[in-house]
Amino acid sequence: MLRVHFTAQDLARTRLADGADPLWETVLSLHTLRLRRPDPALAAWRQHAVRHGPGPLRTLCELVPPYGYFPDFLTPSASRYGVEPGLEAVMSTPRQRLRTELTRLSGHRALPGWARGIGEGEPAALRRLARSLRTYHHLALAPAWSRIAQRVGADREARRHALDGAGTEAMLGTFGPLMRWRPPVLEVDYPVERELHLQGRGLVFVPSYFSCGHPLALVDDALPPVLVYPARETADEQAEGPRPRWYGGEALREVPVLLGGRGGARSAGGVRSGG
């Protein structure tokens, strides 16, 4: 369980993200790709992959394993302004932080040799990483961004209604059953035990299309606190009924195997059941 400790100042500074975060969605969709229940929002990429191969995923999936820890620097707060500001922030990550987070990742899995260049902050290596993120986002998520934004927007609007009408504590009460507000602590279903003290910084709630299983927080407590949680399906999505198991034909069955097999939620490393 994750216990988020609020003060009166934290309640005043807590807010909802303005919409879907492109880099959070990009990174979390990499988990969905490796599940045996691919989402229709990724259908365009799967069709592209059959014709052209996995492309940037050979880079990204080394840094974002199917389950467990992945580096915080892949989901910078600047990405709330768009893909390009987010990528600029990724490429501007301080070298010490790059090295620290990749060292943490290497404690859970062996990393390829080229990852050392990222850890050393080499411009060419960081440009390659940014290019992989940009290309994958463009091919995989952009074609379905309206669907992603619709679900996230509907969820956000429901939370905002409670926030505007009755305040932060009323909004905190809308997140059940994954989270339970027991003043002054928000208890969050989480795969590890963790205490997060906001210390007057407030908390940003980020509804996510691709988040599944449980909410996610950044591993580094020194970073601005964020809690990414699964956005509820809209009524229209629920009316669609059961989703086909695969999109784009039988050939796509090989994509998850190519990318490393099964998927899962973030866990390990002590914090974000995934990072």
Side-chain angles (χ1 to χ4, degrees):
M1 178 180 293
L2 167 65
R3 297 174 182 85
V4 185
H5 297 262
F6 286 75
T7 65
Q9 191 174 28
D10 292 313
L11 289 171
R13 292 183 173 178
T14 290
R15 64 180 182 83
L16 287 161
D18 292 335
D21 185 299
L23 287 190
W24 270 107
E25 298 295 351
T26 296
V27 170
L28 293 178
S29 73
L30 295 170
H31 289 160
T32 302
L33 277 175
R34 287 172 282 189
L35 294 171
R36 300 295 292 181
R37 49 179 179 80
D39 194 282
L42 293 174
W45 181 84
R46 289 181 173 274
Q47 292 164 356
H48 175 90
V50 168
R51 295 192 298 270
H52 306 290
L57 292 186
R58 294 193 181 278
T59 296
L60 299 180
C61 287
E62 293 289 351
L63 302 180
V64 183
Y67 56 92
Y69 173 78
F70 60 83
D72 287 334
F73 67 75
L74 294 174
T75 54
S77 59
S79 67
R80 69 184 183 272
Y81 300 117
V83 175
E84 292 305 320
L87 295 179
E88 286 294 327
V90 170
M91 291 188 290
S92 300
T93 305
R95 181 181 301 177
Q96 183 57 51
R97 183 178 162 196
L98 292 168
R99 185 180 298 119
T100 297
E101 294 185 13
L102 287 182
T103 298
R104 182 192 294 267
L105 180 61
S106 69
H108 301 287
R109 59 182 290 141
L111 295 179
W114 54 257
R116 180 178 301 174
I118 295 176
E120 293 302 317
E122 295 177 4
L126 290 169
R127 285 195 298 270
R128 176 188 177 189
L129 172 58
R131 184 166 59 250
S132 295
L133 286 164
R134 180 186 294 110
T135 300
Y136 171 69
H137 178 89
H138 174 73
L139 294 175
L141 275 67
W145 194 252
S146 61
R147 182 188 188 101
I148 294 167
Q150 181 181 21
R151 182 190 296 183
V152 168
D155 184 282
R156 182 186 183 281
E157 186 62 25
R159 315 292 181 188
R160 191 187 64 80
H161 181 76
L163 177 64
D164 292 347
T168 302
E169 292 194 69
M171 181 190 71
L172 294 175
T174 70
F175 289 107
L178 291 177
M179 308 183 223
R180 295 159 297 282
W181 175 235
R182 305 185 192 280
V185 176
L186 181 66
E187 297 178 346
V188 182
D189 287 347
Y190 220 62
V192 296
E193 290 293 321
R194 181 186 174 191
E195 308 289 329
L196 175 58
H197 295 268
L198 300 178
Q199 299 177 321
R201 296 172 296 172
L203 182 64
V204 179
F205 285 92
V206 182
S208 169
Y209 182 98
F210 285 109
S211 176
C212 62
H214 58 81
L216 302 174
L218 297 170
V219 172
D220 188 348
D221 286 352
L223 296 172
V226 171
L227 198 59
V228 180
Y229 68 92
R232 296 170 179 167
E233 287 190 349
T234 65
D236 288 344
E237 288 176 310
Q238 293 171 353
E240 291 178 1
R243 295 172 182 166
R245 189 175 181 84
W246 289 96
Y247 290 81
E250 289 294 309
L252 289 171
R253 288 183 180 275
E254 306 210 354
V255 172
V257 176
L258 179 64
L259 299 180
R262 57 181 229 192
R266 265 180 131 173
S267 76
V271 183
R272 218 179 10 188
S273 179

